[in-house]
Amino acid sequence: MPTTTDDAPEAPAHGSPVLAGVVVALVGFSSSFAVVLAGLVAVGASPTQAASGLLTLCVTQALGMLWLSLRHRIPLTLAWSTPGAALLATTGGAVGGWPAAVGAFVATGALVLLTAAWPRLGDLVARVPPALARAMLAGVLLPLCLAPVTALATDPWAVAPVVVVWLVLLRAARRWAAPAALGAALVVAVVDVTAGDGARLAAGDLLPRLDLTAPTWTLPALVGLALPLYVVTMASQNLPGVAVMSAEGYAVPWRESMAVTGVATVVGAPAGAHTVNLAAITAALAAGPEAGPDRERRWVAAVTAAVAYLALAVASAALASLVAASSSAVVPAAAGLALLGTFAASASDALGASEEREAAAVTFLVAASGVVVLGVGAAFWALLAGLGVRAALRAGPRAVTTPRR
């Protein structure tokens, strides 16, 4: 399965479930909220609508975590789909604008609900060759991971300190590298806004509020946004999330989890939330020894993470407004640094299997190209092209290679 993006930190062998839950929320939020904002804006959201989406994601995943963890007494954590947000950021505006994008989010949630009712749909997604799924994710991430390079060239004095912070923390405390880089980027953004280079912030912009949009449905948005968003979320979050929990000795209530996340996605979509799903890497932090030696009490970590996300929801509008007001490209650069590890792992895994290399390379290149054909974005065409090349190479008798003497 594709590498996930909610980074897992190092932690002591035995810790506190409360502390583990706080860390889950802080790392999950700070390492990728800028990607979420960028993705929503890219598909047509205004800064206010993007802020509403971030707020709604925090609240809906927190409520879902509370329901699942309290009901089943297991440390089951939820997250937003960072790969899905990256997909939105590189896909660009949908045919039909922001309402059509909201309609695609609703359709994605409906597909997750269908997965709960008909588990074979999840099995069908799991049959997508892992190399192609990873190649599609790597191609989607490439433009975002190039942001630090271009920003460093155009604005070195602002971006260089962020890169240095990221590099130092990457060596000293890997879990905090992305959050620290984003923290440094926010400091630069504050200086940019207060110095008068960015837009002025109004007091009302700092207060959380919902901005509702009635969804509409267009075929290009359903095919180019909803379908790839569903595949990426299932392949890079939900299926690995189950595997992580299983490795820690916990059985995920699959159908109920899909029902909860599907409902959260459908309900949150009009407020701008793109997808809620199972957490994967940070799930290990809440379910492992970092959450305490008593396995029967680790569910407290999930409850604490949910409460922490509700607190972060209050601050989400101020952070979103700050990112929107800054004229510097330093925050997108920090977001690109946060995604670099996922890109490297996805690209390496995609091209590592020699029998899938050509099909994976085609998938990667088409996804990275950003082409839009018939109003449908590159991610869909990338997967289609990769599957086509794979089928063509596997059709008919295989060539026999003569050993060299």
Side-chain angles (χ1 to χ4, degrees):
M1 286 298 106
T3 307
T4 52
T5 56
D6 42 340
D7 289 339
E10 309 92 349
H14 295 294
S16 159
V18 173
L19 178 60
V22 171
V23 172
V24 165
L26 287 177
V27 172
F29 181 92
S30 61
S31 62
S32 57
F33 80 89
V35 182
V36 171
L37 294 174
L40 295 176
V41 170
V43 292
S46 68
T48 301
Q49 290 165 334
S52 172
L54 182 61
L55 165 68
T56 305
L57 285 167
C58 290
V59 172
T60 51
Q61 69 189 35
L63 295 179
M65 271 190 279
L66 287 173
W67 171 269
L68 292 168
S69 58
L70 290 173
R71 176 174 163 79
H72 296 280
R73 289 297 194 269
I74 59 174
L76 187 57
T77 51
L78 304 182
W80 56 58
S81 176
T82 304
L87 172 68
L88 300 180
T90 56
T91 298
V95 174
W98 175 240
V102 170
F105 301 161
V106 173
T108 302
L111 286 172
V112 176
L113 282 172
L114 183 59
T115 305
W118 186 43
R120 291 194 63 181
L121 182 58
D123 296 338
L124 184 63
V125 175
R127 292 180 62 184
V128 173
L132 300 194
R134 291 167 183 162
M136 182 179 70
L137 180 57
V140 164
L141 293 177
L142 178 60
L144 299 177
C145 291
L146 289 174
V149 179
T150 55
L152 191 60
T154 58
D155 196 2
W157 293 109
V159 178
V162 176
V163 175
V164 170
V165 168
W166 172 78
L167 190 58
V168 170
L169 269 294
L170 193 66
R171 178 178 176 86
R174 180 177 291 268
R175 90 160 66 158
W176 298 109
L182 277 165
L186 289 175
V187 171
V188 174
V190 168
V191 173
D192 178 49
V193 171
T194 55
D197 295 329
R200 293 187 62 84
L201 284 176
D205 296 334
L206 306 180
L207 300 177
R209 69 177 186 271
L210 294 180
D211 192 314
L212 301 179
T213 300
T216 62
W217 288 274
T218 65
L219 184 60
L222 292 175
V223 175
L225 275 184
L227 188 58
L229 184 57
Y230 170 73
V231 171
V232 165
T233 298
M234 290 295 297
S236 66
Q237 294 281 168
N238 286 335
L239 297 178
V242 172
V244 169
M245 291 292 290
S246 178
E248 297 293 346
Y250 296 97
V252 172
W254 171 254
R255 300 183 80 163
E256 185 176 351
S257 297
M258 292 301 97
V260 168
T261 56
V263 168
T265 301
V266 171
V267 171
H274 67 296
T275 318
V276 175
N277 45 247
L278 296 178
I281 301 302
T282 50
L285 182 59
E290 299 88 349
D294 186 356
R295 289 175 41 81
E296 301 301 318
R297 295 285 299 168
R298 291 177 187 169
W299 59 271
V300 175
V303 173
T304 305
V307 174
Y309 266 113
L310 291 175
L312 288 168
V314 177
S316 62
L319 290 171
S321 298
L322 175 62
V323 172
S326 175
S327 61
S328 173
V330 68
V331 175
L337 292 174
L339 295 171
L340 187 58
T342 302
F343 165 75
S346 298
S348 175
D349 292 343
L351 301 176
S354 59
E355 66 275 9
E356 303 279 12
R357 188 167 294 154
E358 290 81 4
V362 169
T363 304
F364 169 77
L365 292 172
V366 175
S369 71
V371 297
V372 177
V373 180
L374 302 176
V376 177
F380 173 79
W381 300 115
L383 195 56
L384 201 63
L387 289 171
V389 170
R390 184 176 187 269
L393 293 178
R394 289 173 177 257
R398 295 175 180 264
V400 178
T401 302
T402 304
R404 295 182 179 180
R405 296 185 179 275

